[in-house]
Amino acid sequence: MQRGSVQQKISCVFVTEVKDEPSAKREHQMYKVLATETLSPLAVSAAIDNALATEKVDGTCCYVTAHKGGYLHTKRRCSDPDNDPDRCSVAVCLLESCHTDSSPATNDAGLPYLWARYDDRKPTKQAEKRFRKYIYSKGNSKDFVWNIDDDFKVVPDFWIPAKGVSHSNGKPYPDENGHIPGWVPVENGNKQYCWHSCVVNYAFGVAIVLKPKTEDPGSLEICLVHLSDLLEQTLELIGTNINGNPYGIGNKKNPLHLLVPHGTFLIKDLEALDHNSLMSWFEHSQEGKVEGIVWHCKDGSLFKLHRHHLGLKWPLNSTRLNSKSVSIRLDLCKYEADSSTLLGQLSKKDTWCYDKLKDILLD
């Protein structure tokens, strides 16, 4: 079954209710959003009973799509002493902020690139005030009219709206909450997205990915995947400096970050899609030691259930992801990576096996 792409916020698989109690998920949120025992009508209409259940991994959302904003040049590198062109590889390098005589990319679609979630194109203070005043007087945001050119703050260069965002007169238009979610490209040297950039190498066109081992799906492997093979997929960036590092990966001195394509880790032992059964699964099954579940429906719809929806604790001392052995297998191609980069550090551990993810310590 085709996995859905996470472009928008995912709805809970159950109808939810708000309780006036401090949230365990967000420190300063003074309310909880809890699941009732009633399945969401949208989930029922999307045939949730036949959906693919997968682990919800705790990280930050990313997206791989083409980026038109760079300039290209090719550089031939060769480890063959005779410099035989047949044994050489051509690395395509993207030059960020290039002001040389390099020619623009001839591929109109651009290069495969990692993009970071830019959660919201936000309204200006004046527009936000007008929007809230309208909601207060009318009870909802229906029929509120935005001036897209004047009401919203400037977004970063190359920002693109998320798929599914409404458009008006050819321009992205806010949802009922005044939000326009989108993406920004992860450029080398951008400190804000330094942990994103360490898991990709644009010169080689690859990403560092964590996934089930090909010949043993019960184990994990860290490998290289061509960015071109990940086009239009969304992924979760996990690791040392992401979301408090719930999986205990790496350390401050030698951080480790990895990409996990959404829908990668299947859940196969769910007995029934009801509140009590799912509560029991989270509490008593080793497979249930996850942040949550995401269901991928045949029509492309996505639904989730977070442990916090059930009033359960997260993170945990022991997790499903850390109960599996993991191998480092960077044999997709032979690359000469700088030893100071994450790829270079992992290359020193190539073919090594570990009992669990948190056992990997980089030099």
Side-chain angles (χ1 to χ4, degrees):
M1 181 187 293
Q2 180 72 31
R3 271 62 156 184
S5 176
V6 182
Q7 295 282 337
Q8 307 274 350
K9 292 290 185 182
I10 303 176
S11 298
C12 182
V13 72
F14 292 103
V15 174
T16 57
E17 61 182 2
V18 177
K19 291 288 185 72
D20 291 328
E21 302 172 13
S23 171
K25 184 178 181 182
R26 296 183 175 87
E27 185 177 351
H28 301 294
Q29 183 174 296
M30 301 310 295
Y31 61 90
K32 289 181 178 179
V33 178
L34 298 175
T36 66
E37 296 187 3
T38 304
L39 277 174
S40 162
L42 290 176
V44 174
S45 66
I48 191 70
D49 286 333
N50 297 318
L52 191 68
T54 68
E55 176 178 349
K56 184 183 186 302
V57 178
D58 190 356
T60 185
C61 193
C62 306
Y63 176 42
V64 176
T65 192
H67 178 30
K68 302 178 183 179
Y71 287 80
L72 293 174
H73 80 284
T74 58
K75 179 174 68 178
R76 186 172 298 280
R77 65 178 182 86
C78 186
S79 57
D80 181 68
D82 299 324
N83 201 36
D84 184 346
D86 292 334
R87 299 179 187 174
C88 293
S89 60
V90 176
V92 180
C93 304
L94 187 67
L95 303 181
E96 284 79 24
S97 303
C98 179
H99 298 290
T100 68
D101 293 332
S102 299
S103 300
T106 54
N107 181 357
D108 290 340
L111 289 178
Y113 228 73
L114 185 69
W115 296 65
R117 174 78 81 185
Y118 190 85
D119 270 336
D120 200 358
R121 185 182 181 187
K122 297 180 179 179
T124 62
K125 287 185 178 179
Q126 294 85 349
E128 176 75 13
K129 185 176 180 179
R130 183 165 54 89
F131 180 60
R132 296 301 169 196
K133 185 177 180 180
Y134 183 93
I135 292 176
Y136 182 78
S137 64
K138 302 291 186 180
N140 58 60
S141 62
K142 186 180 179 181
D143 298 327
F144 181 83
V145 178
W146 294 96
N147 184 324
I148 300 301
D149 293 326
D150 298 332
D151 286 346
F152 287 85
K153 297 177 182 179
V154 176
V155 291
D157 291 342
F158 303 115
W159 174 89
I160 59 173
K163 289 185 176 180
V165 167
S166 299
H167 284 68
S168 176
N169 297 321
K171 297 178 180 180
Y173 201 78
D175 61 19
E176 68 274 10
N177 298 311
H179 293 223
I180 310 178
W183 307 96
V184 290
V186 174
E187 306 281 10
N188 290 329
N190 186 330
K191 291 184 178 180
Q192 183 177 357
Y193 300 111
C194 61
W195 308 122
H196 293 70
S197 62
C198 74
V199 296
V200 289
N201 186 308
Y202 293 131
F204 302 135
V206 294
I208 301 172
V209 168
L210 176 70
K211 67 181 188 66
K213 202 171 183 178
T214 304
E215 64 274 21
D216 177 17
S219 301
L220 305 174
E221 64 180 10
I222 296 171
C223 62
L224 299 181
V225 177
H226 287 296
L227 286 166
S228 57
D229 292 335
L230 297 171
L231 275 171
E232 302 311 313
Q233 292 186 44
T234 53
L235 311 92
E236 205 76 7
L237 175 67
I238 63 172
T240 310
N241 296 290
I242 306 297
N243 280 8
N245 194 16
Y247 305 109
I249 302 172
N251 55 50
K252 187 175 182 180
K253 183 180 179 181
N254 294 298
L256 173 60
H257 299 87
L258 304 163
L259 287 170
V260 180
H262 287 142
T264 291
F265 301 121
L266 303 181
I267 294 174
K268 298 180 178 179
D269 67 338
L270 293 178
E271 293 184 2
L273 189 57
D274 64 72
H275 191 281
N276 290 339
S277 296
L278 290 168
M279 175 77 82
S280 177
W281 181 81
F282 276 113
E283 290 185 306
H284 303 300
S285 171
Q286 175 59 40
E287 294 292 289
K289 295 182 183 298
V290 297
E291 184 198 20
I293 306 169
V294 175
W295 285 269
H296 296 250
C297 300
K298 290 183 178 179
D299 67 356
S301 301
L302 298 172
F303 296 91
K304 70 180 179 183
L305 183 65
H306 195 290
R307 294 180 71 92
H308 288 140
H309 283 134
L310 301 173
L312 299 176
K313 177 185 175 183
W314 178 264
L316 304 173
N317 292 328
S318 173
T319 63
R320 179 184 191 239
L321 204 59
N322 252 316
S323 68
K324 301 173 183 292
S325 62
V326 56
S327 304
I328 298 177
R329 303 172 67 175
L330 305 180
D331 53 359
L332 183 64
C333 292
K334 301 301 180 184
Y335 299 110
E336 298 173 10
D338 187 332
S339 61
S340 66
T341 65
L342 178 58
L343 180 54
Q345 291 177 301
L346 283 171
S347 295
K348 298 175 185 177
K349 310 287 186 182
D350 194 17
T351 72
W352 287 32
C353 299
Y354 299 86
D355 288 338
K356 48 185 175 290
L357 202 54
K358 62 170 59 175
D359 290 343
I360 301 174
L361 297 176
L362 300 177
D363 300 330

